[in-house]
Amino acid sequence: MRLRQGGPADLPVVLAMFDDTVAWLAARGLSGQWGDQPWSRDPDRVRLVEELVADGLWVAEAGGSPAGVLTVREQAPEYAPPAGERELYVRLLLVSRDHTGADVGGKLLAFARRQARGNGVALVRVDCWSGGDGALIRYYEGQGFTPTVRAPVGEREVQILQIRP
C-alpha cells in the first residue's frame, strides 16, 4: 500500500467511494448511517466532501487504485466536546469496497497515530455512527480506541472514541 497526500483533484474518487459505500450499506438495511442515495447527487454532501478533501486528505493506493482515504485535522468538529488538549481528529476514514478486508482502515489509522506522535500530539479522536448493530464502534475498539461520549449530529448520534498514540 502506498500513501500520498491528496487534495481537491481527488474529489471524484472520494465521492465514488461514498456512493459505493452508501449503496452497500443500504443493501444491508443500514441506511441510517449515510442514507440510501448517492452522495454525488446531493449538493450539500458534495460541499461537505469538498471541505474534507481540501485540507488534510491522505489517499491509500493498492494495486494502482485508490484503496482508502483519511482526513485528519487538529480541530475537532463543532459537535464534539472539547478535548481540553491538543488533538488530532480523524474527520474521515473511508475504505473502497474493492479493498475491504485488506486492513486499509487499520493502516490509515496507524498512520494517523504516527502523525500525531511526530507532531507531539498525545490524543487522537474519531467518531462514528452509533446506530445499527454497533459494528463501527467495535471496529474502532479493535483498533485500540476507547469510547468516550456520544454526541448528536442532526437526527442521528455519533460515538466519539479516543486513543493515546
Side-chain angles (χ1 to χ4, degrees):
M1 187 176 89
R2 177 175 98 72
L3 194 60
R4 66 170 173 81
Q5 181 78 58
D10 293 297
L11 179 64
V13 167
V14 179
L15 284 171
M17 279 188 201
F18 268 110
D19 288 352
D20 289 348
T21 302
V22 165
W24 182 84
L25 288 167
R28 282 151 186 76
L30 298 170
S31 60
Q33 181 176 350
W34 287 334
D36 60 3
Q37 298 300 307
W39 277 39
S40 60
R41 295 185 193 155
D42 181 333
D44 291 334
R45 291 190 169 186
V46 170
R47 275 191 293 283
L48 171 64
V49 176
E50 286 172 341
E51 292 172 16
L52 290 170
V53 301
D55 180 35
L57 179 72
W58 292 92
V59 179
E61 296 176 330
S65 68
V69 292
L70 171 78
T71 297
V72 292
R73 293 185 181 156
E74 282 199 35
Q75 180 182 2
E78 56 189 50
Y79 57 79
E85 65 184 280
R86 255 181 93 204
E87 68 177 311
L88 193 63
Y89 204 100
V90 176
R91 296 293 308 271
L92 173 65
L93 175 66
L94 187 58
V95 174
S96 164
R97 298 302 317 148
D98 294 336
H99 295 276
T100 301
D103 196 32
V104 173
K107 291 172 184 169
L108 287 168
L109 289 170
F111 171 75
R113 291 192 301 272
R114 285 192 309 274
Q115 201 174 34
R117 282 192 306 270
N119 289 313
V121 177
L123 179 67
V124 176
R125 291 198 300 169
V126 65
D127 64 66
C128 66
W129 182 45
S130 63
D133 63 0
L136 278 173
I137 295 169
R138 287 191 304 278
Y139 171 77
Y140 286 110
E141 288 175 324
Q143 295 294 321
F145 286 79
T146 302
T148 58
V149 299
R150 292 190 176 192
V153 179
E155 296 177 9
R156 62 186 180 101
E157 182 180 70
V158 297
Q159 174 68 59
I160 299 173
L161 303 97
Q162 69 180 33
I163 192 169
R164 299 269 174 196

